[in-house]
């Protein structure tokens, strides 16, 4: 019988009689039988993710083996590019992740699960269910399209969200050229190879059921002022403004006049503010006393189609917690049924899964139903036919943020609205309608509850099919031919409704409806021949192959209209709307044609040499540069096998690896501008139409140059160098993997900005001009052992240091002029030579001006006054201007790492998993809205402002709270907004209990485990915003927090059951 | 779509449409010919309005603290060069279009070229008066053909004149489509170009011809409409007064055709009772309101309108529910077609309620703009609801209208050799005569005695809303060139207020006998306005000579083209 470390039976374990080809596989109860020639027989027992165990049979007739999981088993079979390798023989930099690590956290997209699991992989994500994440393997190779290539059962894809974590068998990250350049032109950003579960030969039918259910809690919002404080601080702002004006005019401040002039519509014009009882009674503000509600109800109207709006809104004197109002405790369920089995000539796995995850924001959710069927048949003893196929239904609702959700932190979304709505405004008016800033004096935030509720009828879905069919033929022993045809079909449709608003100061003045959809079909055709043979001490492994693919052809369409007769969603379609618009778009995809080969030679498993060569052709490049060739060599020396090392007793195994090679990248063009080689003209009603006939109601569409082509554009090339060691110390107690690496990307694809004279609307072509360097150290340490009998532990730590630097921009340019995102007039980003990508740029706040003397003796600074920012005169010329801007930090973490700690005691297991990101900065521009009075005066104020500068609070970092909005207050990008984004988070703690074997047998089960988990139990950070996990949609532009969707605490429980 | 597909008779028309389209800047609101920021706000007619922090990139512009890195400045530069690029693209396609021997197609090609060159002259004219010299690129340079090496060392005027002359020589007098430019528009624009160079003699000759013989694209002889207020109604688009206007249209599928550059410039928080509802930008200044004060029907001289005795009474600092009675003194009737003020009927909506329709009165003052505002009766037809705010209209944006022509011609009469001060006065009086039309007075006198609820004032719609007093000038007022000059300049301010001309007028008037005219005017306005605005929006602001006349060349362009090729304008940028 074979069982795992916790005593669970292990089906599908390989048992081989050492020195022979004879072997068997354990059945669903972990049982096996094998006849052995005699007492000397040795069984080799192997299973993916577990160490090889050798058992001396001796005279035993019944053998019970408990396999121990391996941290980095040297004999682990690693799925690499187009083939399998033993970790012992790897020469490149490869990391693997265990499936059980991928299934502990309740996340909708498996890419997110790599966070903190693999040294050298940086993942920045947010709390939205189903969001995409910034997944970066060894830094940011280029200015865009840096996401890794995913290979699922041999088929490449860039979107992995359809995969159910419970279906995954192996996850392998190929990090350097030595391992990844077999994928040539698409490998520069790293390759992540997934295989899904398969049945084993001779395996009895096994059924597994995995359930996870729980909740995420919204946590607390930002600390905003209550109505009384809000009114008082509004008064402070007027007082402070009067002080400044009086000082400028050389007169004494006259507060009474200042308040009278200011005359707040709600709080009056007296020396102290008066909190009204009603903030809106039919348009009148600041109403004190009682209101005849019965009479008012007769005038009530919240339907703009029926004339003027008439609302009665009571002041919420206790204060509305708007964050609480838009959030909820959100449930999550994930369950998977797996059925696997195999006979002599066939093997299969079927996975049926459901995930339903609600977001902490209302009307935000992720659903996935997936059916996976993998099977393989031995048509002949040496001919196998197989398929891996998944059908998926995916639904993401209420997701916001660019590029599939990862851009949310930079959006002015409902989360920001919750921190802009003054707490005195209630959620609803007296008669059930929404309350909002239609009550005067509170500026323009929109009621976020109304906004979330308005999305209730929005719907969307994606239907996908993904997989491949393959044939494998063993021509002679060691030589296998394989052909595979893979496909990727995708279809989606979405319907969106937008409210005709009435409750805000700025309202949408129409009811909108839009719908749209798209489909894509891509294919991959791969043929390989692999020859593996050992001749005495010499082992060779040769792979040659050919691949052709199309990234996906298809159409998109979208339609919209306004003001249908009825707002009932059952009535609405575009036919029933007015002002209809329709559009469509087609995409031919990109074609690629590739040839590749790999030769590996090993001498006594001591000296290993690998060479890889791939030649890729792509339709996205002009004929001059359509093909690129990407070679790599790597070697390893098992130094521990040398006689001179035998005396070093604490080293069990030590291998030194080194590799050098190039990988290509065409992703920026494939993803963003497939027509890069062509100059194109186009036009649409928005950009180039004109009412040439003077009709007042129609416009003719004209054509202008939309993009400029370049036929000389070619592949970008990443040159990587990697030196690493793999070691096992102290008899396998400590595993060490360390890699020193450097990745220089040259001929970097960049849309080199053209002078405006060329035409601002014509997209510049990508040209190969820039250079970027990434370098770092990846470390993995694993330790395991027994504390006492029955109590064992396992700790593994991984960490990576990263340095990212732009080393050339091209065209003689010093920075990227075209990437200059603006946030209400603040431009925080500059991608400049010698700095990291997406670095923050602006004025360095030296302090707050404390006195008129300080203002007059300091460098000349526009708008300078007491209590305002004093910027540093970087060039010491006595004037603060553009030239004094400097770099204020980078959102690229200097170090990321994870720690996984497991304790096992008898049938219990306890796992804790921590993640840390260090050295990254966040540009918290949300403070522009909440910490400054004039940004949108009347909107909510942060409680932080109570610590703003005043003559009696001179040590403050927040400037004086006043009306002025100028260069010295809130209008410039400055270090005020830059905060330390480092954090340490306990991502998951899980306590599990396995039913003892004896009990299991009674119920005919092979495994029953119960678990409870807490996710994101705590986060240690100095960051002021909601959550320090701040990403972005584009790598040249991330780390900006306007309204980040936080990763919050959650609790789950569940069971794992197997028959 | 590649270039070959456009090199056809249909293709060159489509390419031309894209050039016309770009005249309003499209995605670049700051490049629109309305010049609401560059002409009106910098000219002191209107302020940015709204909250101090809202679109704060405009704050340094109204305070004359422009920086070369400002987005609004790049926006103007980029939008205008997109127009130039579209014109150049069409010019490149034209010779590739094979007429296959057809004389009609050859003639069409010439007419397309003439329209394109008119529009290119316009884009360069806007660049010239905004930035002085910028790189001159025509169809002969392009990407990978040396375009990045073209600097700003050449005077643009000769090239602008050459393009406009080609247009004059080759455009027809009329078209069946009202949106096309004709030869008279080209002549008028040429005269304006000459006027900006102080070439008064040549300009006068053209103005004489235009005033005597000019007609619109639809063949109507140029004339003033009977009512001043009719100029800003969508139903009067392409009237006899329209020399060249940007054709706006509502409900076309994109609000970019419906004056997107004005979408923020509306009263605030009106709900369905008023137009636009957002965002309180572009509020008329207190000083602009005062300018409409008259004495004996004539405007006050030497800024006397800003004296406490003459200032217009406003409801600054008052709530809409607070008692208020409007100014009872004499004013030019154009005041209430230009500025929305408390208890004066706001088009066909309702009496302007004051602070209730203003976002931030302490920062932006008591007024709202009134020109280019849609009427309630135009809602849904000449107004477009398809975007985030309702403030989109089909009202054409006047680039040159006939009263502007008369007043430019009047200037030439004063300055040109052989000019006549009498003729100058006649032109000014033509403009004033139209303004005198009592049929166009805003009606509805606030009845203070009968009003108890100040949110719902009682109005007497049989009486004019204010004491409208406007008289014609007499020979004594135009006795000297200096007097004539002053009166014409004042008339332009009153007639064209809020239409984007004033700053550029002030700059070109700073010459000859009045070298610091514009600088003094702007500094006087800032000094007057600053204490009136409690938020401090203008406190400490001043115009600096030899710097603020021009905008800085966008820093990003200098960084791309290098400072050796693209030189920055004077000033400490």
């Amino acid at each position: 019988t074979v069982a795992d470390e916790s005593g669970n039976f292990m089906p599908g374990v390989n048992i081989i009689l050492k020195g022979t080809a004879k072997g068997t596989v354990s059945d669903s109860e972990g049982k096996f039988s094998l006849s052995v020639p005699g007492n000397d027989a040795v069984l080799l027992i192997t299973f993916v993710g577990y160490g090889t165990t050798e058992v001396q049979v001796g005279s035993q007739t019944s053998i019970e083996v408990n396999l121990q999981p391996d941290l980095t088993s040297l004999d682990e079979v690693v799925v690499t590019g187009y083939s399998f390798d033993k970790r012992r023989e790897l020469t490149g930099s490869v990391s693997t992740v265990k499936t059980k690590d991928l299934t502990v956290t309740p996340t909708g997209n498996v890419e997110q699960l790599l966070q903190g699991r693999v040294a050298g992989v940086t993942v920045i994500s947010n709390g939205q269910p189903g969001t995409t994440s910034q997944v970066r393997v060894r830094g940011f190779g280029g200015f865009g399209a840096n996401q890794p290539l995913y290979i699922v059962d041999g088929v490449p894809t860039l979107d992995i969200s359809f995969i159910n974590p419970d279906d995954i068998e192996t996850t392998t990250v190929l990090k350097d050229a030595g391992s990844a350049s077999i994928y040539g032109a698409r490998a520069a950003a790293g390759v992540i190879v997934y295989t899904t579960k398969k049945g084993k030969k001779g395996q009895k039918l096994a059924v597994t059921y995995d359930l996870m259910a729980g909740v995420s809690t919204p946590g607390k919002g930002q600390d905003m002022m209550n109505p009384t404080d809000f009114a008082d601080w509004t008064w402070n702002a007027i007082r402070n403004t009067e002080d400044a004006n009086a000082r400028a005019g050389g007169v004494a401040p006259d507060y009474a006049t200042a308040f009278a002039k200011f005359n707040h519509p709600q709080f009056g014009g007296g020396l102290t503010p008066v909190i009204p009882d009603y903030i809106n009674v039919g348009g009148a503000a600041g109403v004190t006393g009682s209101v005849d509600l019965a009479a008012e109800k007769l005038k009530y109207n919240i339907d703009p189609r029926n004339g003027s709006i008439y609302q009665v809104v009571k002041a919420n004197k206790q204060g509305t917690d708007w964050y609480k109002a838009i959030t909820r405790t959100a449930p999550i369920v994930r369950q998977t049924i797996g059925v696997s089995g195999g006979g002599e000539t066939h093997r299969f796995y079927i996975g049926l899964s459901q995930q339903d995850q609600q977001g902490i924001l209302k009307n935000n959710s992720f659903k996935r139903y997936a059916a996976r069927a993998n099977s393989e048949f031995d048509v002949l003893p040496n001919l196998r036919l197989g398929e891996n196929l998944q059908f998926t239904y995916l639904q993401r609702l209420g997701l916001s943020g660019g590029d599939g959700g990862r851009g949310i932190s930079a959006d002015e979304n409902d989360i920001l609205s919750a921190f802009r709505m003054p707490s005195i405004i209630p959620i609803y008016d007296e008669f059930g309608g929404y309350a909002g800033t239609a009550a005067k004096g509170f500026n323009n935030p929109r009621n976020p509850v109304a906004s979330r509720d308005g999305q209730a009828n929005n719907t969307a879905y994606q239907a996908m099919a993904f997989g491949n069919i393959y044939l494998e033929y063993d021509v002679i022993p060691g030589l296998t031919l394989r052909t595979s045809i893979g496909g990727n079909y995708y279809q989606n449709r979405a319907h969106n409704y937008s409210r005709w608003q009435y409750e805000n100061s700025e309202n949408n003045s129409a009811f909108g409806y839009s719908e749209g959809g798209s489909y894509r079909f891509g294919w991959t055709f791969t043929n390989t021949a692999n020859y593996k043979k050992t001749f005495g001490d010499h082992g060779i492994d040769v792979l040659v192959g050919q691949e052709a693919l199309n990234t996906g052809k298809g159409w998109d369409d979208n339609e919209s209209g306004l003001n249908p007769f009825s707002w009932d969603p059952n009535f609405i379609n575009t036919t029933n709307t007015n002002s209809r618009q329709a559009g469509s778009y087609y995409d031919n995809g990109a074609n690629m044609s590739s040839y590749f080969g790999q030769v590996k030679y090993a001498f006594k498993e001591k000296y290993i040499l690998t060479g890889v060569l791939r030649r890729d052709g792509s339709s996205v490049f002009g004929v001059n540069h359509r093909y690129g060739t990407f070679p790599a060599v790597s070697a390893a020396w098992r130094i521990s096998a040398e006689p001179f090392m035998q005396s070093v007793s604490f080293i069990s195994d030590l291998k030194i690896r080194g590799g050098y090679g190039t990988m290509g990248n065409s992703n920026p063009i494939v993803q963003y501008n497939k027509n890069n080689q062509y100059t194109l003209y186009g036009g649409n009603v928005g950009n180039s139409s004109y009412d040439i006939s003077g009709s007042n109601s129609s416009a003719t569409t004209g054509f202008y140059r939309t993009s400029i082509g370049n036929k000389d554009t070619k592949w970008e090339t990443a040159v990587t160098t990697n030196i690493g060691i793999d070691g096992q110390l102290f008899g396998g107690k400590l595993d060490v993997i360390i890699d020193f690496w450097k990745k220089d990307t040259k001929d970097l694809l960049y849309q080199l900005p053209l002078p405006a004279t060329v035409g601002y609307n014509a997209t510049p072509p990508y040209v190969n001009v820039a250079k970027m360097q990434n370098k770092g150290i990846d470390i993995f340490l694993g330790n395991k052992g027994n504390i006492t009998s029955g109590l064992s532990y396992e700790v593994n730590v991984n960490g990576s240091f990263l340095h990212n630097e732009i080393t050339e921009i091209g065209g003689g340019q010093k920075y990227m002029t075209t990437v200059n995102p603006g946030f209400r007039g603040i431009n925080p980003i500059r991608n400049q030579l010698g700095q990291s990508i997406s670095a923050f740029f602006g004025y360095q706040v030296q302090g707050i001006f404390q006195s008129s003397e300080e203002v007059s003796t300091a460098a000349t600074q526009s708008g300078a006054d007491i209590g305002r920012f004093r910027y540093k005169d970087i060039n010491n010329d006595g004037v603060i201007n553009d030239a004094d801007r400097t770099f204020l930090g980078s959102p690229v973490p200097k170090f990321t790492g994870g720690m996984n700690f497991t304790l096992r005691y008898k049938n219990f297991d306890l796992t804790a998993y921590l993640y840390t990101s260090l050295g990254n900065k966040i540009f918290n521009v949300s403070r522009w809205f909440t910490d400054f009075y004039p940004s949108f005066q009347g909107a909510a104020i942060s409680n932080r402002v109570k610590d703003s500068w005043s003559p009696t609070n001179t040590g403050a970092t927040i400037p004086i709270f006043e009306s002025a909005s100028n260069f010295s207050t809130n209008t410039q990008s400055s270090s005020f907004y830059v905060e330390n984004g480092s954090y340490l988070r306990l991502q998951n703690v899980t306590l599990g209990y396995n039913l003892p074997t004896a009990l299991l047998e009674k119920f005919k089960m092979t495994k029953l485990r119960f678990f409870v988990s807490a996710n994101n139990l705590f986060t240690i950070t100095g960051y002021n915003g909601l959550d320090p996990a701040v990403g972005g949609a584009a790598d040249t532009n991330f780390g900006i927090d306007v309204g980040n969707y936080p990763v919050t605490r959650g609790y789950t429980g569940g069971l794992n059951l197997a028959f | 779509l590649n270039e070959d597909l456009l090199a056809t008779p249909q293709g060159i028309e489509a390419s031309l449409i894209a050039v016309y389209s770009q005249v309003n800047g499209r995605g670049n609101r700051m490049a629109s010919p309305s010049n609401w920021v560059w002409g009106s706000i910098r000219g002191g007619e209107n302020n940015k309005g709204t909250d101090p922090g809202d679109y704060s990139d405009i704050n340094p512009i109204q305070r004359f603290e422009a920086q070369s890195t400002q987005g609004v400045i790049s926006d103007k530069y980029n939008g205008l060069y997109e127009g130039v690029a579209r014109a150049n693209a069409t010019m490149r396609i034209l010779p590739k279009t094979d007429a296959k021997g057809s004389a009609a197609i050859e003639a069409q090609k010439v007419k397309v070229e003439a329209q394109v060159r008119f529009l290119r002259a316009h884009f360069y004219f806007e660049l010239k008066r905004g930035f002085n010299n910028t790189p001159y690129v025509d169809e002969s340079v392009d990407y990978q053909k040396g375009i990045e090496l073209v600097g700003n060392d050449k005077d643009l005027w000769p090239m602008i004149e050459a393009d406009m002359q080609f247009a004059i020589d080759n455009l027809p007098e009329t078209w069946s489509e009202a949106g096309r430019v004709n030869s008279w528009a080209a002549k008028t624009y040429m005269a304006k170009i000459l006027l900006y160079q102080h070439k008064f003699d040549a300009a006068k000759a053209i103005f004489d011809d235009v005033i005597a013989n000019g007609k619109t694209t639809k063949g109507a002889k140029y004339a003033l409409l009977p009512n001043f207020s009719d100029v800003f109604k969508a139903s009067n688009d392409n009237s006899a007064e329209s020399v060249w206007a940007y054709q706006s249209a509502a409900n076309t599928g994109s609000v970019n055709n419906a004056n997107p550059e004005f979408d923020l410039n509306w009263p605030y928080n009106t709900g369905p009772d008023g137009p636009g509802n957002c965002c309180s930008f572009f509020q008329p200044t207190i000083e602009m309101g005062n300018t409409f004060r008259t004495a004996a029907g004539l405007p006050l001289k030497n800024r006397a309108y800003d004296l406490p005795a003459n200032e217009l009474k406003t409801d600054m600092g008052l709530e809409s529910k607070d008692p208020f009675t409007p100014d009872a003194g004499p004013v030019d009737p154009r005041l209430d077609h230009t500025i929305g003020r408390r208890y004066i009927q706001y088009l066909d909506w309702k009496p302007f309620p004051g602070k209730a329709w203003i976002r931030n009165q302490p920062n932006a003052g008591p007024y709202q703009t009134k020109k280019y505002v849609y009427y309630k009766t135009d809602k849904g037809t000449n107004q477009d609801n398809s975007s985030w705010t309702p403030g989109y209209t089909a009202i054409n944006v006047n680039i040159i209208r006939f009263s502007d022509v008369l007043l430019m011609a009047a200037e030439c009469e004063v300055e040109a050799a052989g000019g006549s001060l009498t003729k100058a006065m006649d032109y000014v009086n033509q403009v004033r005569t139209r303004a005198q039309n009592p049929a166009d007075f805003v009606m509805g006198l606030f009845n203070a005695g009968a009003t108890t609820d100040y949110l719902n004032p009682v109005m007497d719609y049989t009486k004019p809303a204010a004491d409208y007093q406007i008289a014609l000038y007499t020979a004594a007022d135009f006795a000297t060139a200096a007097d004539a000059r002053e009166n014409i300049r004042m008339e332009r301010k009153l007639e064209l207020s809020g239409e984007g001309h004033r700053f550029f007028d002030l700059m070109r008037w700073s010459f000859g006998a009045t070298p610091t005219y514009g600088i003094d005017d702007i500094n006087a306005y800032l000094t007057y306005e600053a204490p009136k605005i409690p938020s401090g929006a203008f406190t400490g602001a001043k115009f600096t000579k030899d710097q603020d006349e021009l905008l800085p060349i966008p820093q990003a362009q200098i960084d791309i083209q290098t400072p050796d090729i693209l030189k920055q304008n004077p000033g400490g940028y």
Side-chain angles (χ1 to χ4, degrees), chain A residues 968-990:
Chain A
S968 296
T969 65
N970 65 341
T971 67
Q972 299 299 310
S973 172
S974 76
S975 58
F976 172 78
Y977 299 103
V978 178
E979 298 186 29
N980 189 341
S982 301
Y983 69 100
L984 170 72
R985 177 175 281 160
L986 179 59
Q987 304 260 71
N988 180 269
V989 183
T990 300

Side-chain angles (χ1 to χ4, degrees), chain A residues 141-146 185 620-621 664-670 672 676 712-717 745-752 765-772 809 816 1036:
Chain A
F143 294 137
N146 286 325
V620 299
F621 295 114
N665 188 18
S666 59
N667 282 348
I669 295 189
V670 171
Y672 303 127
N676 188 66
D712 296 326
T713 302
K714 59 180 182 187
W715 309 86
E716 70 185 28
T717 306
T745 316
K746 62 176 187 182
D747 297 332
L748 202 57
L749 290 166
Y750 171 46
Q751 286 178 294
L752 192 66
Y766 281 89
V767 289
N768 306 89
V769 286
K771 287 182 183 163
M772 181 107 79
I809 291 206
M816 293 170 71
T1036 48

